[in-house]
Amino acid sequence: MNIPKFIKTRKESKMQQRLETVKNIYHKSETENEAIQKATTRVIEEINKHPDMSIIEFLKMIQEEEKLSTDIIVEVTKQLSEAKPEKTVAIVEKLDLPEGKLQEIIRETNSMEVAKKIVNQIPSEELQKAERRRLEKIETQRRKAEKQKKEVELGKILSQRYETCGDIRGPVLIQELKGIKEQTESPKVYEWIQKVLAKKAAIEWRKTGMARIESMVNVIPAQEMLKGDFAKLVGGKFEMIKETQKSSVGKDYQFQEEDLQNLILREVAKNVATTYVKVGIIDIPQCEAMQQLSEEQSEMFIKEIQIYIQNKDKEKIKNFDVEKAKRKIKGIKGDELDELIDLVNRIPEDEREDYLQALRMRMEKGKQKQLDAKVAKELEKMQEELQALEAEDAIGILEGTREEIQDRKEEIMEEDIKRKEGNTQTVSSGGYTH
C-alpha cells in the first residue's frame, strides 16, 4: 500500500525534529562520554514513545549526521538487544557498522541468539571464526554452569529423599525419582538415585523380606542393576539399617544378595523374552555378573525367559534355543552371524536397502585408522554433551569445532614444514643438532 505523500512528509518532519533534539543534547554535553550517554538515553526514549516510528530510518539519520558519534548507534543497539532482539539484528544488517563496533555489540549483548546472527555480518572471515569460537566457549561454560547448578539442586532433593525414603510410599518415590532422572544425564545424580533406591529396597526387605524391584526397574533398568551390582549396594544399606529398622510383623528378616539378584534376573528375563518375541534374537546382557551366575541361577533365569515367551507368544517358544541361551549367559560368542542374517531377513524389503547401506558405511568406517583411546574417550564425552542440546545448537558447535580442528591442523602442518626446513638447514651447515 502506497503511503500518501503528505503523511510521509509529516513523518519525516517529526523524525527530523526528534533528530534535532538528540543533536542539541549531544552538543550541550560537557564530555564525549556524557554526550553519547545522554544522546543514547534520548534515542531510546523516542523509540519507546513512538512505537510506529521506523527505528532503522531514525538511526540512519543519526548515522548520516557527521557531528554525531557512531557510538550512539552502538549503545542504542546494545540496549535494544534484550528488549527488541529482532530490531538489534535488523539494525546491524541495514546499517554499515565498523567491524570493531560489531564485535563490541556482540560482546555486550545478553542474547546468544542475537550475538550469533550479528557474527554473520562481520565482513572478515577470520574475525567471524574467532567470534564463533569465543561464543561457543561461552555457551559451553554456560551449559557446564547450568549442569552443575542442576546437579546441586537435584542433589539436595535426593539427599532429603535418602533420609526420608522409608516414610514415602513406594509408587510416589518411584515416580519422583523417574522424573528427576529424566531431567539430567549427570552420573552424580544417577549415583544418588541408586543410593536412594538401594536404601528403600533395604528398608522394604527388612520389613517384609522382599523389595519391589518390578517397580524400581522403571527408574534403573534391570540390566543396569545387574551390571552395577545393585544387590550388593542394597546389602550394604541393609546392614546400616538393621539395628534401627524393625520388621512390621516382628519377624527378623535377613538379607541375601543372591535372593535380590534373582528378583533382578526375573526382570531381565522379561526384557529378553520381549526382544525374542519381537525380533527372534536371544539378547542376554553381556556382563561379569551374568557370567558369574551359579548353575542354579542360570537354570532359573532360562526358565523365567521361557515362561514370559510362552505368555506372550505360544508359537515362539517352540524355536527358543536353550543351549544358545546358556552360551550367551557364559559370554560365549559364535551365534552372531546367524542372528544378523535372521535380522536382515526380518526387515521389510522396501526398507532393507537403507539398513544395508548403513551397515556398509559402518564397515567402511571400521576399516579406517582407529582413534587413540584418549581421543575416543573425549569424543564420547562430547557426544554426551551434544545429546542434551537442540539439533541446531549441536550442529553450530560441531561446525565451529571442525573449523578450529582444520585451522589447528594447518598450523601443525606449517610447524612441521618449518621444523623440517630448519633441520635441513642445520644438516647443510655442517652437522646435526641433538
Side-chain angles (χ1 to χ4, degrees), residues 171-183:
V172 174
L173 181 65
I174 295 298
Q175 194 63 32
E176 184 175 15
L177 293 179
K178 187 178 178 183
I180 289 173
K181 184 185 174 185
E182 289 171 354
Q183 293 180 49

Side-chain angles (χ1 to χ4, degrees), residues 162-253:
Y162 181 83
E163 296 299 326
T164 61
C165 63
D167 302 321
I168 304 173
R169 288 177 57 247
V172 174
L173 181 65
I174 295 298
Q175 194 63 32
E176 184 175 15
L177 293 179
K178 187 178 178 183
I180 289 173
K181 184 185 174 185
E182 289 171 354
Q183 293 180 49
T184 178
E185 295 181 358
S186 164
K188 289 182 181 178
V189 172
Y190 189 75
E191 185 181 343
W192 264 106
I193 290 173
Q194 280 186 309
K195 288 179 180 178
V196 175
L197 275 182
K199 185 178 179 182
K200 182 65 174 176
I203 291 171
E204 288 182 352
W205 204 284
R206 184 64 179 161
K207 287 182 177 181
T208 66
M210 290 286 287
R212 286 175 283 194
I213 296 299
E214 70 278 3
S215 61
M216 292 184 178
V217 294
N218 290 312
V219 182
I220 300 177
Q223 286 89 332
E224 291 183 26
M225 283 187 175
L226 187 66
K227 291 178 182 179
D229 215 347
F230 185 72
K232 188 172 184 178
L233 184 59
V234 173
K237 302 299 177 186
F238 184 88
E239 291 301 317
M240 287 172 58
I241 66 168
K242 188 164 61 173
E243 300 302 321
T244 58
Q245 182 69 61
K246 293 182 179 180
S247 167
S248 59
V249 292
K251 186 174 179 179
D252 188 21
Y253 287 105

Side-chain angles (χ1 to χ4, degrees), residues 48-64:
N48 292 332
K49 281 181 186 178
H50 308 285
D52 58 331
M53 178 182 70
S54 169
I55 297 174
I56 303 295
E57 291 303 318
F58 190 41
L59 293 180
K60 272 186 180 179
M61 292 173 72
I62 293 173
Q63 188 180 38
E64 289 168 1

Side-chain angles (χ1 to χ4, degrees), residues 6-27:
F6 73 94
I7 294 178
K8 187 176 180 182
T9 303
R10 188 190 304 161
K11 284 186 175 182
E12 289 174 353
S13 176
K14 287 183 177 179
M15 274 208 289
Q16 187 62 44
Q17 290 174 12
R18 292 164 194 155
L19 175 62
E20 293 300 323
T21 303
V22 172
K23 286 166 63 178
N24 288 335
I25 290 171
Y26 180 84
H27 293 302

Side-chain angles (χ1 to χ4, degrees), residues 22 25-44 62 67-76 78-79 101 104:
V22 172
I25 290 171
Y26 180 84
H27 293 302
K28 286 180 180 179
S29 301
E30 294 181 3
T31 66
E32 180 71 8
N33 285 338
E34 182 186 342
I36 292 168
Q37 288 175 7
K38 286 186 176 181
T40 299
T41 301
R42 184 64 187 193
V43 171
I44 295 294
I62 293 173
K67 294 183 180 180
L68 289 179
S69 171
T70 305
D71 285 338
I72 298 172
I73 298 170
V74 173
E75 293 302 318
V76 169
K78 289 179 192 175
Q79 292 189 32
K101 298 301 180 184
E104 191 177 327

